[in-house]
Amino acid sequence: MVGGVGPVDGDGGQGFEQTTTAQIAERADVTERTYFRHFADKREVLLDGGHELEAAVGAAITAAPDADDPLDAPSPTRCGPRSRPCAPRPAARLAVVPDTGTTTPFTADLPARVVLRLLHRDDGPALAAAYTRNREHLEPWEPARPEQFFEAAYHAERIPVELLAHGSGRGVPLVLERDGEVVGRVNLSDIVLGAFRNAHLGYWVDASLAGRGVMTAAVEAACAHARDDLGLHRVQAATLLHNAASQKVLARTGFDRIGTAPSYLRIAGRWQDHALFQRILHDD
């Protein structure tokens, strides 16, 4: 969640495992070779828990085969938990991760010469440096991190997953940048449309920028993006009960406290209660 101002609702998960492309393909109901077509260099994906990748890949599936590509020819698929063969259908395709190496569809100028922008493919080293620099600052407010978390390779592996979720409309992974350095994160995650039209908000800011209005402006910009560009109705967030700094940010940006969730998240090595907040973006 947010602390000092550190993370609200965190931007990472617990656990650490290797998920192979065969496992990914099985979860997403696509062939392994179809996966390799778009991610040929990703023979193993390193991430927290594996569930985030499963959700992102599953959400990115489309049923629009390319008639000129033999990999998209109709193939048998599975029905039911016993993998019983069923009628053939066009092979699924994975959505291509958006190329955000040079341009971004969303930016916002914030105080203290900070820019809020979409995560870039090459942000791994800058993210690792930011988390290393803020390790002590963020530790009380985040899940326990493995040592690998503070290495560039860890974030380089996660970035394609986050961009895939963005490309499929399930998340908006943002970074705060100042003078070429990453100085924080803002994430809209678990986006749901339909009758809910909701997203979860998570954020943190560099210790050197706390108390300068940066995060208040970043949260306001993210909520405006959720309302005006994504068409969402509601954004929700949660903080540790004693995280007064983040609760002030939420209050200043129009969030209302709606309750308390006992043992909500495992933060700093133990299950902790959280205060729950929401902001309604549309009245109609």
Side-chain angles (χ1 to χ4, degrees):
M1 301 290 167
V2 185
V5 174
V8 168
D9 214 31
D11 65 358
Q14 290 274 143
F16 197 72
E17 72 171 2
Q18 297 283 345
T19 302
T20 66
T21 54
Q23 292 170 324
I24 296 165
E26 181 179 2
R27 293 174 182 177
D29 197 20
V30 296
T31 62
E32 188 174 1
R33 65 177 182 169
T34 303
Y35 180 84
F36 279 131
R37 177 185 175 195
H38 295 299
F39 297 97
D41 61 333
K42 298 295 178 188
R43 306 237 167 213
E44 287 186 334
V45 177
L46 195 63
L47 78 159
D48 295 329
H51 305 295
E52 179 179 350
L53 182 61
E54 177 183 355
V57 172
I61 297 300
T62 68
D66 183 345
D68 296 327
D69 192 329
L71 290 183
D72 289 324
S75 62
T77 189
R78 301 181 303 281
C79 290
R82 302 280 184 184
S83 297
R84 174 174 54 83
C86 63
R89 63 185 173 101
R93 294 179 60 193
L94 292 174
V96 180
V97 173
D99 183 359
T100 57
T102 56
T103 61
T104 61
F106 170 77
T107 60
D109 292 329
L110 308 178
R113 306 192 318 278
V114 176
V115 174
L116 181 65
R117 62 163 174 82
L118 191 68
L119 180 69
H120 287 179
R121 285 187 176 186
D122 58 358
D123 278 334
L127 283 172
Y131 279 110
T132 299
R133 189 172 62 249
N134 287 276
R135 186 168 186 170
E136 184 176 346
H137 168 59
L138 297 176
E139 191 172 13
W141 317 104
E142 291 202 326
R145 303 296 194 185
E147 284 301 317
Q148 294 94 327
F149 182 83
F150 301 96
E151 299 174 2
Y154 179 96
H155 295 282
E157 292 286 357
R158 288 183 58 90
I159 287 172
V161 179
E162 293 191 60
L163 294 180
L164 182 58
H166 176 251
S168 65
R170 293 179 58 89
V172 182
L174 303 171
V175 298
L176 281 71
E177 180 183 312
R178 185 187 193 217
D179 298 334
E181 290 186 329
V182 169
V183 292
R185 293 293 311 266
V186 175
N187 285 328
L188 294 170
S189 61
D190 299 324
I191 293 176
V192 178
L193 299 180
F196 199 20
R197 307 195 76 81
N198 180 78
H200 287 82
L201 172 70
Y203 60 81
W204 65 267
V205 68
D206 193 280
S208 66
L209 294 170
R212 300 178 63 178
V214 173
M215 190 48 68
T216 297
V219 169
E220 189 60 53
C223 288
H225 179 61
R227 180 191 62 227
D228 301 336
D229 300 321
L230 305 181
L232 299 185
H233 170 70
R234 178 180 183 270
V235 174
Q236 66 186 74
T239 77
L240 289 168
L241 298 183
H242 58 283
N243 193 342
S246 287
Q247 291 169 18
K248 289 179 181 178
V249 168
L250 294 173
R252 285 195 293 264
T253 52
F255 283 77
D256 296 312
R257 182 166 176 172
I258 57 173
T260 301
S263 300
Y264 186 62
L265 289 175
R266 188 173 175 84
I267 300 296
R270 61 188 180 92
W271 293 101
Q272 298 198 53
D273 300 346
H274 281 68
L276 304 181
F277 296 83
Q278 70 173 13
R279 175 173 169 178
I280 302 301
L281 303 175
H282 294 108
D283 292 331
D284 54 355

